[in-house]
Amino acid sequence: MAQLSSNLLLIAFFLYFLSTLMFAVSVTGRRFKDKKGIERNRLGTYGYISSVAAFVLAMGYFITRWIAGGHAPVSNMFEYTTFLGIMMGLGFVIIYPIYKSRVLGLFTMPVVMLIIAYASVFPTEIQPLIPALQSNWLKIHVITTALGQGILAVGFAAGLVYLVRVTDFKTKSKKVTSLELVFFGLLCFVGHILLNMGFSAVNYEAEFQYINEFGQEAPITYQLPALIGPNEGTLLSEDRLSPLVNAPDFIVPDDLNAVIWAFISGAVLYWVLRLIFRKPIGGALQPLVKSVNPQSADELSYRAIAIGFPIFTLGGLIFAMIWAQIAWTRFWGWDPKEVWALITFLFYAAYLHLRLSRGWQGEKSAWLCVIGFAIIMFNLIFVNLVIAGLHSYAGM
Amino acid sequence: MSKVKCECGHLNPYGTYLCESCGKPLKEDDNSLANMRYEGVARRSQTYKKSIVDKIWNFFSSVKVGVWIIVLTLIASSIGTIFPQEMFIPPGQPASVYYYEEYGTMGQLFYQLGFHNLYSSWWYMLLVAGLGVSLIIASIDRFVPLYRALKTQRVTRHPGFMKRQRLFKKADTVTEPSEEIKKASEVLKERKYNVREENGNILAEKGRFSRWGPYVNHVGLIIFLIGAMLRLFPEMYLEDHIWVREGQEVEVRGTGGEYSVRNDDFLVEFYDPEDERFREGLERSGGDVVKTYQTTATLFKQSSETIGAGEKEEVQQHRIRVNDPMSFEGFSLYQVDYKLNELAAFTFALEEIDGDSEGLEDVRFEVNLYDPEPSYEFDNGYRVEIYDYFPNFTFNDDGEPSTLNRIPDNPRFIFEVFAPGEDDGELSFVGIQLNEAIEEDNQYRLRMVDFETNHVSALAVRRDRTLPILILGGIIFMVGLVQGSYWHHRRMWIQERDGELWIAGHANKNWNALKKDFDYLAEQTNIPAPNDQTDEQDESERTDEGVREADDNGSTKQ
Ligand code: HEM
């Protein structure tokens, strides 16, 4: 069953890739308006069908894994992150029929793939549930939150479409730089995934002895070459890079190390792409979105946020509070994870008010969608891995 | 200040920009699109600007201020997660040194600025209070006039109103306008529009209730904030905990002795490392993973008049687990901690120091470490008294024997042994792996021959009387949120003017859906879909880009 489950996920991943390709061809194909042009555009529909099929198979993964493990697969980093990707795919499946925007598909599908691929960097074994996680409310909370965040992430993709569409990449400006930073950030994820796949393919491991945050000696194994060593660490493995500096004890050292590698690899990838395209990444993407009406991209991103916000609030705050009341004896405890859910909530509330009453539409609004997504990812990655708290899946 | 009379006869409050009834612009302006945010009504904050009350009102009713408060709360909240809050630092560590030692100068700064207790600081509470005040004032400022305007709106609108709508068209090619309007009315009714007619003109409206969504959700939010504030009163919120040993019955603190709970059994269960499903997962975590913490507990009640004396009534038995508390009368008991194998009883045997201990075989006794008997007597005349007992032995500051607390982690006794017929006893000091005669020439010695242990379970006691308020607030909030987000207010005005057909439409959001409805109408009747006047503006702004292919994806242009 577990094997079937991973196979289903793999096929789903492939279908997301296929969907990306079809949307890409469908969008670029439009430039050649020949007689076959109309036929080519049907590819957009195929792209959508492919994304629906991918979602169905991904749910197959979810259900079979649930059966195999006996609990909903949303209880560690791999499971949650994968599920977030699937929910973003679902968000797209819901929103596409309303606006029929193929460019949205072209921007959403790669992000979905990126999130799912990122998930597989974490340990994928099925783990038993510790008592604190044995609750139906936890499942409900996590599933709803992921759905909300997934739909908000579609808003991010639409915001990105808008920004790429309207920004003038011919001249240097702050806007161009900021947008390039966003692409750089996405490339860091790509780099991180590639590095992890590469080093785990050759079974790279570097073992250290170090002093953990409780002041005790403990072993730790790095999966990537250590630039940042653990607190007072000594390298035990032979022929491994010895760290440049050691991290203080309150930081999870191998995660910090991985983050630094992600930045380095992201920079390399970015530089390579710049060399290939000889222009900003956004500028290279711009021809793909030139057929988009900015106003509809703007409205689309707003719709996605308006649909996602109540779902996120229900899952990330209300169900979270119900679960916390049952599991931790109090509905709210200012745990970092909770605080960041609140911050996400406040952020999107501010977005809605700015948009509604202060006329923040178009460019400003699109930037807010980008920042909102950054907050969601920050909550997923940084808060889980670096600022350890009650909800943390750290070390899993 | 006087009311303003419109040419349609309606009396509008001072400051009105579009007549509440017919929509005629009452103030001179250019011919730009009408600001439809609040139907052009007079809002208190836009009208009165003189007194101090006005100024405070206007300050808090501004969305700009509201958003600032939200953003400041957001930033403050995030600062609080840079380092752990004081409540999360290891117990027993003074904050004054902890932050510096763990996080260096930044930690020191964090501590000195009071960020280690940020969420209970006065200024954070002030921000949240400001949020609440702003919510209330902004909502009242807008809700009342908006409600009036939507209630008084009439069907036939002033040409100036129609022209200034974002979706508008004048059609002079329709041959029989009044027939078309009738047909439109039927079509729109089928589409669940609420259609009103007046002199052959129609106003078709749908989803007006969604306009109240924001106000409903703000009310929910306010109720929630009030509930949260009430927790500051001790009556509303009780937080305590009790340790209960297996077999022991303990009063539930906070119930005034009315309830007590007995720990029938405590259990920790681990996952089976051989379990196929989790084998790999368990190998990675490299240790035992707990499956269950469970206290089987029985709850007793006695009526408050007879506390201590009366009969106890067994109320319920429950297996308390993490995620499954025992609840009764607003109280909940949660499994929060435990201690395995706490010492519970020692069994001692008496021996002669230099002898064969003949005749002493029966001098054995068990001492309950929680509640020892003061004296133990035996048939053969021997007697052992407890001279002193230190459950958790230590030397105090004066170097004298003492105990840290009543928990028998390191129990020590001073026993006094009386041989038959003797009035003077021998004192000895006995503990784990320790047996010292206190006087030099002791003849007897007490030897520990057996011990018993017990599991102890910690239960948190909670009673939160604010919960019903919070739940109510939460439900109202969600209802309002859904109401305002998943439905939209759409209106279509279709009128005949001098043989021409005037069509206008307004949506508070989701124009896309309104346009689709107009398209549908155009299919079913001869009424053309109106133009989006913002599109036309856009077009003129963007001609230089020249990259527009409007008929593509999801375009709002129809
Ligand atoms: C965290 C707190 C808040 C939440 C969650 C919240 C939520 C909302 C939501 C969901 C809407 C509807 C937005 C839309 O339909 O796109 C809304 C509208 C609004 N909110 Fe808030 N709000 C909050 C705080 C405030 C504050 C502090 C103010 C004070 C200025 C305010 C004033 C308004 C106004 C004026 C509207 C527009 C109402 C209308 O459509 O006429 N809100 N709010």
Side-chain angles (χ1 to χ4, degrees), chain B residues 19 139 154 222 227 370 430 440 502 533 547:
Chain B
C19 169
S139 299
R154 31 184 285 213
I222 292 162
Y370 310 130
V430 182
E440 300 254 308
W502 288 43
Q533 306 201 56
V547 279

Side-chain angles (χ1 to χ4, degrees), chain A residues 302 309 345-346 349 352-353 356-357, chain B residues 37-38 60-67 69-70 130-131 134-135 138-139 142 146 211 214-215 217-218 221 477 481 484-485 509:
Chain A
Y302 174 47
F309 181 68
F345 168 78
L346 290 175
L352 290 174
H353 288 89
L356 200 68
S357 297
Chain B
R37 283 282 325 124
Y38 299 99
F60 281 113
S61 79
S62 149
V63 173
K64 194 172 172 184
V65 171
V67 170
I69 297 177
I70 294 177
L131 192 74
S134 178
L135 268 170
S139 299
R142 290 167 174 79
L146 179 67
R211 289 296 281 273
Y215 308 103
N217 90 44
H218 288 167
L221 214 52
F477 175 73
L481 199 56
S485 306
K509 52 175 123 174

Side-chain angles (χ1 to χ4, degrees), chain A residues 9-10 12-14 16-17 61 77-86 88 108-124 186 188-198 200 377 380-381:
Chain A
L9 187 61
L10 202 65
F13 186 82
F14 179 73
Y16 281 125
F17 180 62
Y61 140 84
M77 272 304 269
F78 163 71
E79 293 175 342
Y80 182 74
T81 311
T82 304
F83 191 63
L84 178 62
I86 298 174
M88 184 173 177
T108 308
M109 290 298 119
V111 180
V112 170
M113 284 165 54
L114 196 60
I115 295 177
I116 294 179
Y118 174 66
S120 68
V121 168
F122 297 96
T124 57
L186 291 172
C188 288
F189 276 97
V190 177
H192 177 73
I193 295 161
L194 292 179
L195 275 181
N196 269 279
M197 289 202 306
S200 79
M377 289 324 263
L380 174 71
I381 298 163

Side-chain angles (χ1 to χ4, degrees), chain A residues 141 313-327 330-332 338 342, chain B residues 224 470:
Chain A
H141 150 57
T313 308
L314 187 67
L317 290 173
I318 297 194
F319 289 159
M321 285 190 214
I322 296 175
W323 174 60
Q325 179 71 27
I326 295 170
R330 80 287 178 291
F331 64 91
W332 193 259
E338 290 169 344
L342 176 70
Chain B
F224 190 93
L470 298 173

